[in-house]
Amino acid sequence: MANSTVAVDPTTLSPTSIEVMANQATINIGTIGHVAHGKSTLVKAISGVQTVRFKKEHERNITIKLGYANAKIYKCDNEECPRPGCYESKGSAEPVEYPCKRPGCGGKMKLVRHISFVDCPGHDVYMMTMLSGAAVMDAAMLLVAANEPCPQPQTSEHLAAVEIMKLNNIIVLQNKVDRIKEDEALINYEQIKKFSKNTIVENAPIIPISAQLKVNIDAVIEYVYKHIPIPVRDFTADPHLIVIRSFDINKPGFEVDELRGGVVGGSILKGVLKVGDEMELRPGRLVQDPVTNRVKLVLLRSRILSLSAEANSMQFAVPGGLIGVGSLLDPALTRQDLLAGNVLGHPGKLPKVYTELEINYFLLRQLLGMQKDEKKHSKVSKLTKNELVMVAIGSFVIGARVTGVKADLAKLALYKPTCAEPGEKIAMSRRYGMRWRLIGWASIVKGKAYDLGDE
């Protein structure tokens, strides 16, 4: 058990230093786009990791929960090694360098990037899951299947979602070019260009690939290295990790002395976490007082026992990339993503927990991702008092009731308390039929804080 904090000087750390990149990814890249356009296949082609892990996902051959995988990008140090073949990708457990495999090269493949993939479900039913994943993305790859007309419904809806989150580094991948003829690929290319006009991907490159056959994957890797910068991070601030997954890693039949505490997974936005640190999760969990029957909020506190990135164990973790945090929490609290949407940091150092929010909002003119027979009902109407909406705050997706509207300002009563900050961007969805549809975005102006007492 870790009883003392590991000594690390954050001012000496860099997201591009080998010391950091050898163990942990330092940038999160999302894969977005319509269902069955090859997002999970692309992640596997680059990282070697199959993100489709659950029984229902295998049965339906679609992503349901957020998938995650890490990959290391290497570049040959021999300047004569031709591009893009001088770039390769491997799993996160591989060494920092190895000999170049090109005959007669003699150079060494050296680690230049370590990236995490956030693999989002493409089905419209799981749009809210996609929005929670967008909260930790630094860049995105928009996949468009070349053997289908562009755009498909969730192609436009996913693009609007990352535009709301102010994601600027996006690359368009024209996938499945192995399934069509050259003239058909050119027609699809023109459709993509027309669709991307006046959007954030208007000037983004369009790279034709076959994720299944790993065609042009080296060109994608080269673009990521050369043109997608690692965001500027604050290593010296109080740590702030967004939780997107939580697990019980104990297996049936474990003896009592074999049981391990709950694990939460997510991405650090700022600060450095170390093994042995005291940790706090906000908003925590709601519990009912057995005497008064009143529901109250209980913050969760524990100690960090382990930090890991896939198979790599670490003594400290820096911003960027997806990491797992082992703790002393009761694993019953972390099973089945029960703590997804929480924020993790040092005790007393996290933002306030709010039960009501005042927002400055912007609505889309019409719904995106609608089927052809639904488009006549696609106009987005104004917010009205007492209507129910779904809001994505960080990775927390919760229901809210509109309690007041005035011009572009609105007040929301949240169904569950949430940890947030003024100025934070949120996405809003409204129910149409059986599905929640993205209707706009907002920024938090202020809110009513939950009284945590002496915490």
Side-chain angles (χ1 to χ4, degrees):
M1 182 182 297
N3 292 317
S4 59
T5 302
V6 174
V8 177
D9 183 2
T11 62
T12 64
L13 301 176
S14 165
T16 56
S17 66
I18 293 298
E19 178 189 16
V20 172
M21 286 197 300
N23 295 312
Q24 182 197 335
T26 54
I27 183 171
N28 296 318
I29 298 179
T31 54
I32 61 175
H34 194 66
V35 63
H37 277 203
K39 298 181 292 297
S40 300
T41 307
L42 173 70
V43 173
K44 186 179 180 181
I46 296 177
S47 69
V49 176
Q50 174 60 271
T51 58
V52 177
R53 292 181 168 93
F54 299 92
K55 183 180 178 181
K56 286 186 177 180
E57 292 180 319
H58 284 291
E59 289 174 350
R60 299 177 61 185
N61 196 30
I62 61 172
T63 301
I64 296 175
K65 294 191 175 185
L66 288 175
Y68 51 93
N70 292 346
K72 287 178 175 175
I73 295 178
Y74 297 84
K75 182 180 184 297
C76 182
D77 62 2
N78 181 359
E79 296 297 329
E80 301 299 320
C81 196
R83 52 174 292 273
C86 60
Y87 292 90
E88 286 185 358
S89 64
K90 290 184 176 292
S92 65
E94 297 298 323
V96 296
E97 64 176 52
Y98 58 91
C100 181
K101 296 178 182 178
R102 189 173 70 88
C105 176
K108 288 186 176 181
M109 302 297 289
K110 293 195 172 183
L111 179 64
V112 291
R113 285 285 187 276
H114 194 167
I115 61 178
S116 275
F117 284 105
V118 182
D119 186 24
C120 295
H123 201 287
D124 60 348
V125 174
Y126 306 111
M127 186 63 196
M128 304 312 294
T129 304
M130 182 271 164
L131 289 174
S132 67
V136 298
M137 293 179 193
D138 301 310
M141 295 178 177
L142 175 63
L143 276 87
V144 179
N147 61 339
E148 295 182 10
C150 177
Q152 291 295 308
Q154 271 55 63
T155 307
S156 52
E157 195 169 20
H158 281 202
L159 184 61
V162 295
E163 193 164 7
I164 285 170
M165 298 302 179
K166 302 297 182 184
L167 219 59
N168 296 319
N169 295 304
I170 303 176
I171 176 176
V172 181
L173 303 179
Q174 184 188 26
N175 192 24
K176 303 188 181 183
V177 292
D178 56 307
R179 303 278 298 273
I180 58 175
K181 297 177 181 179
E182 183 179 350
D183 57 338
E184 294 173 317
L186 291 172
I187 292 172
N188 181 258
Y189 174 85
E190 292 301 325
Q191 290 176 346
I192 297 172
K193 290 292 290 183
K194 182 179 179 180
F195 160 68
S196 63
K197 194 173 182 180
N198 297 322
T199 71
I200 52 174
V201 294
E202 182 172 12
N203 298 315
I206 302 172
I207 301 178
I209 66 166
S210 169
Q212 190 71 50
L213 302 180
K214 298 184 179 181
V215 174
N216 257 7
I217 297 300
D218 49 4
V220 176
I221 295 167
E222 179 185 22
Y223 184 87
V224 169
Y225 169 62
K226 286 186 173 181
H227 300 288
I228 298 183
I230 296 176
V232 177
R233 316 279 195 187
D234 186 353
F235 283 32
T236 60
D238 293 319
H240 185 117
L241 178 144
I242 290 183
V243 178
I244 59 174
R245 302 292 303 273
S246 67
F247 316 88
D248 172 8
I249 59 175
N250 299 294
K251 296 180 180 179
F254 268 22
E255 297 295 334
V256 173
D257 57 355
E258 294 178 300
L259 293 176
R260 298 197 292 182
V263 176
V264 297
S267 186
I268 302 175
L269 299 185
K270 59 183 179 180
V272 175
L273 288 175
K274 303 178 286 293
V275 171
D277 278 358
E278 296 290 336
M279 59 174 262
E280 178 179 280
L281 286 158
R282 293 191 180 192
R285 69 187 188 113
L286 293 169
V287 297
Q288 187 172 21
D289 189 305
V291 178
T292 64
N293 286 329
R294 293 184 62 185
V295 175
K296 64 178 182 177
L297 190 65
V298 176
L299 300 181
L300 298 176
R301 287 183 175 172
S302 184
R303 184 185 296 274
I304 297 176
L305 297 186
S306 64
L307 294 166
S308 60
E310 290 191 347
N312 299 328
S313 294
M314 305 177 293
Q315 292 300 304
F316 64 90
V318 303
L322 301 175
I323 64 167
V325 181
S327 71
L328 286 170
L329 289 171
D330 184 342
L333 299 175
T334 60
R335 63 185 179 87
Q336 298 180 340
D337 296 331
L338 287 176
L339 294 183
N342 273 259
V343 176
L344 184 151
H346 289 161
K349 302 293 185 180
L350 290 170
K352 293 179 180 180
V353 174
Y354 293 102
T355 56
E356 297 179 10
L357 294 176
E358 185 173 315
I359 60 171
N360 187 341
Y361 71 92
F362 171 81
L363 297 180
L364 301 172
R365 291 182 179 178
Q366 61 181 21
L367 295 174
L368 302 170
M370 301 292 284
Q371 301 293 342
K372 288 183 179 179
D373 57 343
E374 301 174 314
K375 287 190 175 180
K376 60 182 179 180
H377 306 295
S378 65
K379 186 176 180 181
V380 177
S381 58
K382 295 180 179 180
L383 292 180
T384 58
K385 189 175 180 179
N386 291 323
E387 82 162 298
L388 302 180
V389 293
M390 195 74 77
V391 292
I393 306 171
S395 63
F396 210 8
V397 179
I398 50 176
R401 181 169 55 86
V402 179
T403 57
V405 182
K406 184 178 181 180
D408 58 354
L409 295 175
K411 290 184 178 180
L412 304 177
L414 305 176
Y415 281 11
K416 291 182 180 180
T418 185
C419 182
E421 296 180 279
E424 191 171 339
K425 292 285 188 297
I426 67 175
M428 297 189 300
S429 299
R430 177 186 281 152
R431 190 162 187 169
Y432 289 85
M434 297 298 291
R435 295 168 184 171
W436 291 94
R437 296 289 187 182
L438 183 68
I439 61 168
W441 63 274
S443 59
I444 298 173
V445 178
K446 58 183 179 180
K448 179 182 179 182
Y450 185 93
D451 183 10
L452 298 171
D454 58 2
E455 299 189 358

